[in-house]
Amino acid sequence: MPTTDNQGSFLNLISIRRNQVSAMDNDQELEDLELFQKNVADLFSGLFSAAEEPSSAKSGAETTDSPMTARENYIPPPPPPLLSISWFRNLLDAFLCCEAEFKAVLVSGRDPSQFTRPPLDRLIPDLLERSIKALDICNAVTHGVELVRHWQKLGQIAVAALQQSPIGEGQVRRARKALTALLASIAFDDKENANGNVHGKSAERSWSFGRRGGGGVNAANNKDRNGKNFSSLSWSVAKSWSSAKQIQAMSANLAPPRGGESTGLALPVYIMSTILVFVMWALVAAIPCQERTGLATHLPVPKQLTWAQPLISLQEKIGEDWKKKDKKGNAGLLEEVQKMEKLAQSLVEFSDSFVFPMEEEKAVAVAAQVAELAEICEKMEEGLGPLQQQVREVFHRIVRSRAEVLEVLDPVSKLTTPVPY
């Protein structure tokens, strides 16, 4: 009889210990979810600070009484302007950080059988499907960056011509030819122009996962592993492909978890899906992409979610800019392109009324515009290559993460599939 009592006591202790371990696991999961949401909020708050008007402040150079005073009056450099090349590089960095942390929360140390139970049995396949569409958008954006680089080269030709002293009719004609080609390319019809048509001829587009064999992502990955650059991430697509419809498809069924689901793994899946859709939407709005007619200006994100506040503010700001733009299907909202287009129009007007020799006042005004155009071209020269490389990195990260999730799901799906007799 005493033995039975001791045995019962021992079993009770095991039961209590199991409950404690389970509670610790739940506490750790909640802590991970809270940290993930906080990091998302912090990253996008930093990105939103670029959208706010810079506050006027005195330069630290005005108060240099001592080294200590200089340090106390140090003013950090302002964040990059919203929708600039540097801002998009920060956005893609933020996406990669969120994606890495999300994968750790979702997969690391997780029982794979959880993915076969509601609501994850529905949410995970939806996320994987969105990731495929995101790969196609990465391809489109990569080609769009190539088009912007072509515009940059035309701008550099005009700058080189107009920086000559004195400016003669020959230099003005050369600059006008380059600027006219630049403006014509920007204004060209979106269906014919965007993504790859960098020399005025229709060019083939590319899908991430094609319907035909050969090459594609595997070929791109092999080239990347060999340390070689590649111009396309995969192969051709039909001209009927629409980036706007792709975004619409990605945002379909994007609904926040409700009830008990809001404290489980459904929440990080929803957060990552929202981030993925937002990043791809912002890229499509800013960089020339095929068929952007009807691009949404609002994404379905509930305002009561604390982590979503800066993201919602960003999408509202970008959406307002998109609505204001008359030629929505053409150049896009990239800040450097917007400035380049305005300067090109002004310099073409100057070239139409050019008379040699120029008046001194007009020469000073033109020199200032040429200097501004040169600065924009320099920013493009420095930033477009790294931006394109980051888009490729996002592409390959999505491919790897998708493969890792499928690797976790595959054994579970085999176990749950009934054996045919």
Side-chain angles (χ1 to χ4, degrees):
M1 189 71 180
T3 306
T4 306
D5 290 341
N6 290 336
Q7 186 177 2
S9 241
F10 179 69
L11 292 174
N12 287 337
L13 287 172
I14 291 178
S15 177
I16 292 170
R17 179 59 181 160
R18 283 176 177 171
N19 290 335
Q20 288 174 340
V21 170
S22 178
M24 288 172 63
D25 288 343
N26 289 335
D27 290 343
Q28 183 62 49
E29 183 172 298
L30 290 173
E31 186 178 336
D32 291 343
L33 291 178
E34 286 293 330
L35 183 60
F36 180 51
Q37 293 180 77
K38 181 182 181 301
N39 289 344
V40 169
D42 290 345
L43 285 167
F44 281 90
S45 293
L47 290 165
F48 177 66
S49 65
E52 299 175 317
E53 291 295 329
S55 57
S56 58
K58 292 183 180 180
S59 171
E62 295 179 6
T63 55
T64 55
D65 298 334
S66 68
M68 181 63 71
T69 305
R71 286 195 295 270
E72 289 173 353
N73 290 278
Y74 169 73
I75 300 173
L82 180 68
L83 298 176
S84 64
I85 294 171
S86 296
W87 186 85
F88 272 103
R89 292 190 61 191
N90 290 344
L91 176 66
L92 295 183
D93 280 341
F95 171 81
L96 292 170
C97 290
C98 291
E99 198 275 341
E101 190 168 343
F102 163 73
K103 192 166 57 177
V105 171
L106 183 72
V107 177
S108 297
R110 189 71 58 190
D111 179 6
S113 64
Q114 287 184 280
F115 298 147
T116 65
R117 298 194 291 266
L120 293 183
D121 62 335
R122 171 179 54 84
L123 295 177
I124 296 295
D126 284 350
L127 177 60
L128 296 178
E129 183 63 27
R130 285 189 189 97
S131 68
I132 292 179
K133 293 177 172 61
L135 296 179
D136 291 323
I137 290 175
C138 286
N139 274 329
V141 170
T142 299
H143 289 291
V145 173
E146 284 294 334
L147 180 57
V148 176
R149 293 176 88 162
H150 175 62
W151 295 342
Q152 173 222 336
K153 289 178 173 62
L154 291 172
Q156 285 177 324
I157 291 171
V159 167
L162 295 176
Q163 282 182 336
Q164 301 295 319
S165 182
I167 300 176
E169 291 185 3
Q171 287 86 3
V172 171
R173 281 199 301 270
R174 187 181 181 207
R176 189 185 190 285
K177 184 177 179 181
L179 293 172
T180 302
L182 167 62
L183 293 172
S185 181
I186 288 176
F188 201 60
D189 182 70
D190 182 44
K191 283 186 179 180
E192 302 296 330
N193 185 6
N195 289 347
N197 182 23
V198 297
H199 298 296
K201 299 177 182 178
S202 61
E204 289 189 340
R205 295 279 328 290
S206 60
W207 282 103
S208 53
F209 293 113
R211 279 68 177 168
R212 301 183 292 277
V217 173
N218 290 332
N221 278 327
N222 290 336
K223 289 184 180 180
D224 191 49
R225 279 194 289 268
N226 292 332
K228 298 178 182 177
N229 293 327
F230 48 92
S231 59
S232 175
L233 295 177
S234 45
W235 48 84
S236 61
V237 298
K239 290 183 180 180
S240 61
W241 186 86
S242 166
S243 56
K245 289 180 181 178
Q246 199 81 334
I247 294 294
Q248 291 171 5
M250 289 182 68
S251 59
N253 302 321
L254 188 60
R258 298 178 179 178
E261 295 179 2
S262 61
T263 58
L265 288 178
L267 180 59
V269 173
Y270 170 70
I271 293 173
M272 196 62 225
S273 294
T274 302
I275 293 171
L276 180 65
V277 174
F278 171 78
V279 170
M280 296 301 138
W281 170 79
L283 286 169
V284 167
I287 296 171
C289 285
Q290 181 170 306
E291 186 52 58
R292 290 183 291 187
T293 305
L295 182 66
T297 56
H298 176 73
L299 301 176
V301 185
K303 292 188 176 183
Q304 67 270 21
L305 301 174
T306 55
W307 59 266
Q309 288 302 321
L311 189 146
I312 292 170
S313 299
L314 278 170
Q315 70 156 295
E316 288 176 350
K317 177 66 176 172
I318 297 171
E320 288 172 7
D321 291 347
W322 183 260
K323 287 178 182 178
K324 291 175 185 176
K325 186 167 175 59
D326 293 328
K327 297 176 293 181
K328 295 178 182 177
N330 299 321
L333 299 178
L334 193 67
E335 190 206 28
E336 287 82 359
V337 171
Q338 296 292 300
K339 289 182 177 180
M340 174 178 276
E341 184 178 13
K342 290 179 181 178
L343 288 167
Q345 289 170 345
S346 179
L347 289 171
V348 166
E349 291 174 5
F350 152 74
S351 67
D352 289 339
S353 60
F354 173 74
V355 176
F356 183 83
M358 279 195 299
E359 298 176 1
E360 184 176 350
E361 186 178 344
K362 194 166 189 177
V364 170
V366 169
Q369 289 183 329
V370 173
E372 188 177 353
L373 182 58
E375 184 181 355
I376 291 169
C377 289
E378 186 178 353
K379 286 181 179 179
M380 288 181 167
E381 181 74 28
E382 294 174 354
L384 287 175
L387 175 63
Q388 193 173 48
Q389 190 60 39
Q390 277 181 297
V391 174
R392 288 169 172 166
E393 184 180 351
V394 167
F395 180 99
H396 293 302
R397 175 74 70 83
I398 293 173
V399 169
R400 288 195 300 270
S401 295
R402 189 175 185 278
E404 289 172 15
V405 173
L406 288 173
E407 189 176 350
V408 172
L409 292 176
D410 188 52
V412 179
S413 62
K414 287 179 180 178
L415 290 174
T416 54
T417 303
V419 179
Y421 290 100

